[in-house]
Amino acid sequence: GNKKITKIAIPSSVTSIGSYAFNGCSSLTQIFFEDPSSLKLIRSYAFSGCSSLKSVSIPPSVVKQGEGVFFECSSLMHVSIPSSMTSIGDYCFEKCASLTQIIIPSSVTSLGKRAFAQCISLTQVNIPSSVRLIPEYAFAGCKSLKQITIPSSVTSIENNAFSSCSSLTEVSFDSDSSLVSIEKFVFFDCALTSIKIPSSVYSIEDSAFEGCSKLK
């Protein structure tokens, strides 16, 4: 069955990849798009559990993707997100345990919930200044993430967004921050030693900094 496939070439006639199309293809190491201008849509969990996939370039023609497209692609180290993408789906890169860095293009205006949760090797990520909301559990359990900058566009950080980021020592906010709320458990169990909360904030919810034992 699908466990044996090692390489796949997506022909130019394909405009959409269906839900769970390559789910659990645990030997798949390479996806090649014959014509990177034909594919428009990748549906939910299309490549989830492709645990041998190391690198992927999403074609620039892709305008929409479902949730969990690369969920549990545990060997994925390099991913290229094209500037055609305006959103990153829920659970998109959750449990991509080998991902060390991700560059989110400035075209992205919305991040999905749990989009990068449990990316335990992620050390670097940029949040583009087009994003207004950091959703729930977006980076929860990213235990190698040391620093994050919240752009001025962000108005709300939802519950558990950075919970259990146990190496996160530095969170900085742009000077013209429009952040109004920090929800529950956002920085739960983080390694913060200090934080300067912007004056635009008027709501810090329960347990937002619970377990931040290094906070001076």
Side-chain angles (χ1 to χ4, degrees), residues 3-18:
K3 301 273 186 257
K4 302 274 193 292
I5 300 169
T6 57
K7 290 179 185 177
I8 190 93
I10 310 286
S12 55
S13 54
V14 172
T15 56
S16 150
I17 295 174

Side-chain angles (χ1 to χ4, degrees), residues 70-74 76 91-102 114-125 137-145 164-165:
F70 299 103
F71 178 79
E72 254 182 325
C73 286
S74 52
L76 191 63
Y91 323 104
C92 187
F93 297 103
E94 184 172 358
K95 294 188 176 175
C96 286
S98 302
L99 204 57
T100 56
Q101 186 187 6
I102 190 115
R114 302 192 73 98
F116 300 98
Q118 305 293 331
C119 286
I120 56 173
S121 302
L122 194 65
T123 56
Q124 260 186 310
V125 68
Y137 291 92
F139 297 96
C142 291
K143 62 182 187 184
S144 300
L145 196 61
S164 302
C165 288

